[in-house]
């Protein structure tokens, strides 16, 4: 039975200690093939069907560097304001893990391809925190272990384990920050904001699908505490493979409260890896954390060093897109958004979708309204990301166009969107299939108006008497009779004309 850790109240933690963070983010690159062989680089699939002698480390096989992987590494480094090495090479990081078939990981050690950069991170209240980047280096991913039969999914208590090497050799970039100090009580928020900003940047670069739920982006959160009067960093723990933004924040906060309770009680922190539990937001001890010396790094003898020319680096710099932070500022200005409206856009992940809808012909206000309000609710109810909904920005723009032209009311438009989400076709196809066009034929509307007036003579009399506001009841009756397909504005005009008010 796992002992429940004692925790210190968070306010007391930040009163007595200064947190120090170190964030290591692993990014799987979206190259066609793996980092050192020609195996396809795809998520999922039948276990052990995307392997070859090279990524399995079989005797006699030799690796070849993926040029696209190097290109992506340089672009990431440039986007993070890093220096790009004129010469670097791979190293062997020696350790045994069942999901690492070679007994070493091909990585970079003291000669990374990118180093000394920074990323400016904006917190919810607008404060900007500069996070210094130590390095961004290339390496390969490991395979995956599946522990069967235990209560936790970990090896302890499992009946047996299965190994899938499809992921072994997938290109990774590990982005390592320098120690992040001075964040105080906002340390968990800074950690979350950093990973969020990094995810947005990598997405803009189009070098990874950055799917945290599929492990394409994983964060190892290093946390230590210093007493207020201390001059040296405390012992850190490393919570491994945290795979959501919310979990990054929770993991840092939990470690702060756990470590503080131990230190305040006269104990000491063990330098170790830790596992994060999504269910309750706690961490649990893993293995003792090795030092660099334990890995016995040495230069990889089967790969030649990499020496990217300055001309190539500058060519790649020219391919960098507008950075997400700059883009947000531009969009806020162009779309005349308040800080709150921009925050709503960001919170639901709708910036790119709205931008694409605007490019497809909708106005910014209309596009934002559909994505932030109607469609965000649909995504929540389906428990999917907004971008995963079965409707495209072009289709949303088409719906907006149908409303603007008077072919649909807003109510009918929502029904059309439901049809698109249900896979019934394009907006126009849904309109035709469901017969949702607005009834614009005056003769048909007048029949409905006359029937409504006849059914409510007292209301008709009020309108004749000058109480025009009473026409709303008749409009409502006509809308009901036409199943919402009447143009309410036109119906009102016809009512007024009919009663001669």
């Amino acid at each position: 039975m796992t002992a429940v850790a004692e925790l210190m109240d968070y306010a007391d933690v930040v009163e007595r200690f200064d947190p120090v963070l170190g964030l290591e983010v692993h990014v799987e690159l979206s190259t066609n093939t793996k980092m050192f062989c020609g195996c396809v680089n795809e998520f999922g699939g039948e276990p052990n069907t995307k392997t070859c002698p090279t990524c399995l480390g079989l005797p006699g096989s030799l690796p070849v560097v993926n040029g696209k992987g190097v290109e992506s590494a340089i672009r990431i480094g440039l986007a993070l304001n890093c220096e790009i090495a004129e010469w670097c090479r791979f190293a062997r990081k020696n350790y045994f893990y069942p999901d690492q078939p070679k007994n070493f990981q091909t990585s970079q050690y003291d000669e990374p391809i990118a180093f000394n950069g920074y990323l400016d991170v904006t917190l919810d209240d607008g404060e900007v925190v500069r996070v210094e980047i130590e390095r961004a280096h290339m390496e390969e991913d490991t395979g995956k272990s599946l522990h069967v039969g235990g209560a936790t999914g970990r090896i302890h208590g499992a009946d047996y384990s299965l190994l899938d090497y499809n992921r072994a050799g997938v290109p990774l970039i590990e982005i390592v920050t320098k120690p992040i100090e001075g964040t105080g009580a906002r340390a968990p928020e800074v950690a979350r904001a950093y990973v969020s900003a990094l995810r947005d940047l990598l997405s803009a670069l189009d070098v990874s699908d950055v799917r945290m739920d599929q492990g394409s982006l994983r964060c190892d959160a290093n946390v230590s505490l210093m007493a207020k009067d201390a001059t040296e960093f405390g012992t850190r723990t490393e919570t491994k493979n945290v795979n959501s933004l919310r979990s990054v924040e929770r993991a840092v906060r939990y470690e702060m409260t756990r470590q503080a309770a131990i230190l305040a009680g006269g104990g000491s922190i063990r330098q170790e890896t830790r596992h994060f539990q999504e269910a309750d937001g706690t961490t649990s001890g893993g293995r003792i954390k090795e030092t660099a010396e334990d890995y016995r790094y040495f230069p990889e003898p089967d790969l030649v060093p990499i020496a990217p020319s300055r001309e190539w680096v500058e060519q790649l710099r020219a391919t960098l897109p507008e950075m997400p932070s700059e883009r947000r500022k531009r969009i806020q200005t162009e779309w005349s958004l308040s800080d709150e409206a921009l925050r709503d856009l960001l919170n639901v992940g709708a910036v790119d979708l709205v931008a694409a809808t605007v490019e497809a012909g909708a106005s910014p206000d209309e596009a934002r309204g559909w994505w932030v309000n109607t469609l965000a609710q649909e995504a929540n109810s389906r428990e999917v990301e907004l971008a995963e909904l079965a409707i495209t920005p072009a289709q949303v723009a088409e719906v907006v166009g149908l409303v603007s032209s008077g072919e649909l009311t807003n109510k009918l438009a929502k029904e059309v969107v439901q049809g698109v989400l249900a896979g019934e076709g394009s907006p126009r196809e849904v309109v035709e299939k469901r017969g949702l066009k607005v009834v614009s034929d005056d003769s048909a509307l007048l029949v409905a108006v006359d029937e409504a007036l006849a059914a409510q003579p007292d209301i008709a009399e009020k309108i004749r008497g000058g109480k025009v506001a009473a026409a709303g009841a008749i409009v409502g009756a006509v809308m009901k009779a036409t199943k919402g397909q009447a143009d309410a504005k036109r119906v009102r005009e016809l009512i007024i004309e009919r009663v001669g008010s």
Side-chain angles (χ1 to χ4, degrees):
M1 183 176 177
T2 303
V4 177
E6 290 188 17
L7 305 177
M8 180 181 286
D9 180 79
Y10 192 71
D12 293 336
V13 175
V14 295
E15 183 178 342
R16 298 180 58 172
F17 298 97
D18 288 323
V20 179
L21 304 177
L23 301 172
E24 302 173 13
V25 173
H26 291 81
V27 186
E28 284 187 352
L29 300 179
S30 300
T31 52
N32 292 328
T33 56
K34 293 183 178 180
M35 191 65 198
F36 301 114
C37 67
C39 287
V40 65
N41 175 21
E42 287 179 348
F43 177 79
E46 287 296 312
N48 299 310
T49 56
K50 300 166 186 172
T51 60
C52 71
T54 298
C55 58
L56 290 177
L58 298 183
S61 60
L62 289 174
V64 177
V65 173
N66 185 328
K68 189 68 177 179
V70 177
E71 176 184 309
S72 296
I74 293 174
R75 294 181 74 234
I76 290 171
L78 291 171
L80 290 171
N81 305 290
C82 288
E83 300 175 49
I84 305 300
E86 296 193 15
W87 187 95
C88 66
R89 60 182 168 181
F90 287 97
R92 290 189 178 184
K93 181 181 183 182
N94 294 274
Y95 66 98
F96 172 75
Y97 249 58
D99 56 11
Q100 177 55 272
K102 297 185 297 186
N103 280 353
F104 64 85
Q105 180 185 28
T106 305
S107 181
Q108 292 191 300
Y109 176 43
D110 54 348
E111 296 160 316
I113 193 164
F115 51 93
N116 285 343
Y118 64 86
L119 179 63
D120 287 334
V121 174
T122 303
L123 306 184
D124 284 346
D125 63 356
E127 180 184 347
V128 176
V129 176
R130 174 159 293 187
V131 176
E132 305 282 347
I133 305 296
E134 176 75 30
R135 67 182 188 274
H137 66 255
M138 299 179 287
E139 61 185 26
E140 59 181 340
D141 212 341
T142 63
K144 293 174 69 175
S145 301
L146 177 65
H147 306 296
V148 182
T152 63
R154 303 197 184 283
I155 194 169
H156 303 292
D159 296 327
Y160 60 92
S161 297
L162 301 172
L163 294 168
D164 177 7
Y165 292 118
N166 281 349
R167 200 181 66 179
V170 165
L172 281 183
I173 303 298
E174 181 176 352
I175 300 166
V176 182
T177 70
K178 294 180 180 178
I180 305 169
E181 304 176 68
T183 56
R186 306 193 77 174
E189 182 187 354
V190 169
R192 174 181 178 140
Y194 167 74
V195 178
S196 176
L198 191 56
R199 185 184 65 170
D200 290 347
L201 182 145
L202 294 165
S203 180
L205 290 171
D206 195 26
V207 294
S208 170
D209 64 16
V210 291
R211 291 282 302 271
M212 296 189 79
D213 59 319
Q214 294 184 357
S216 301
L217 188 72
R218 314 189 292 268
C219 178
D220 297 344
N222 290 266
V223 178
S224 66
L225 295 179
M226 298 172 63
K228 288 291 184 182
D229 58 352
T231 57
E232 295 184 0
F233 293 163
T235 301
R236 64 185 168 87
T237 62
E238 181 180 2
T239 304
K240 301 288 288 185
N241 296 326
V242 187
N243 63 357
S244 78
L245 298 178
R246 178 170 176 263
S247 296
V248 170
E249 185 169 1
R250 293 171 77 202
V252 170
R253 188 182 182 96
Y254 181 84
E255 268 304 284
M256 288 172 64
T257 55
R258 187 189 69 85
Q259 292 185 20
I262 293 173
L263 294 171
S268 58
I269 304 301
R270 191 174 80 147
Q271 183 168 311
E272 62 182 356
T273 64
R274 296 187 68 82
H275 306 297
F276 180 70
Q277 278 71 240
E278 289 283 350
D280 58 7
T282 64
T283 68
S284 59
R287 56 182 165 80
I288 297 293
K289 180 64 179 173
E290 296 88 347
T291 63
E293 289 74 18
D294 294 325
Y295 289 123
R296 306 180 322 281
Y297 284 97
F298 65 85
E300 167 58 63
D302 290 338
L303 291 169
V304 296
I306 297 170
S309 72
R310 296 304 93 180
E311 291 77 12
W312 187 36
V313 171
E314 290 312 308
Q315 288 171 5
L316 293 177
R317 192 190 302 277
T319 70
L320 297 182
E322 182 181 28
M323 292 295 107
S325 58
E326 296 168 357
R327 184 174 181 234
R328 286 173 189 152
K329 290 177 186 174
R330 176 177 59 76
I331 283 176
Q332 185 172 16
T333 301
E334 291 180 356
W335 296 356
S336 302
L337 298 178
S338 64
D339 290 342
E340 292 74 18
L342 180 64
R343 188 158 56 239
D344 289 343
L345 267 181
L346 297 174
N347 286 343
V348 298
V351 172
D352 289 339
L353 295 166
V354 172
T357 307
V358 171
E359 289 175 7
S363 73
D365 280 350
E366 291 166 328
R368 187 164 55 85
W370 277 100
W371 285 107
V372 174
N373 300 322
T374 306
L375 291 168
Q377 291 178 8
E378 293 292 338
N380 285 336
S381 65
R382 289 168 164 80
E383 297 185 343
V384 299
E385 296 291 327
L386 194 56
E388 295 173 14
L389 287 175
I391 188 168
T392 66
Q395 289 172 326
V396 174
E398 187 178 346
V399 171
V400 170
L402 290 170
V403 174
S404 299
S405 67
E407 294 179 67
L408 291 178
T409 62
N410 282 324
K411 181 180 178 182
L412 292 175
K414 290 181 180 178
E415 193 171 337
V416 170
V417 166
Q418 289 294 331
V420 175
L421 292 172
E424 297 175 18
S426 70
R428 284 196 178 277
E429 289 171 338
V430 174
V431 169
E432 293 301 323
K433 288 178 182 175
R434 296 195 179 192
L436 296 176
K437 254 187 175 176
V438 165
V439 177
S440 55
D441 180 0
D442 278 1
S443 61
L445 291 177
L446 280 171
V447 171
V449 168
D450 288 342
E451 289 177 354
L453 289 170
Q456 302 184 74
D458 53 331
I459 301 295
E461 197 53 41
K462 284 183 181 178
I463 301 171
R464 288 191 188 92
K467 295 182 178 178
V468 178
I474 304 299
V475 172
V478 172
M479 296 303 290
K480 185 177 180 181
T482 58
K483 298 179 180 177
Q485 290 181 245
D487 179 343
K489 182 181 176 184
R490 183 55 185 156
V491 169
R492 183 181 178 84
E493 292 172 351
L494 292 174
I495 293 169
I496 303 301
E497 290 175 16
R498 216 57 170 172
V499 300
S501 174

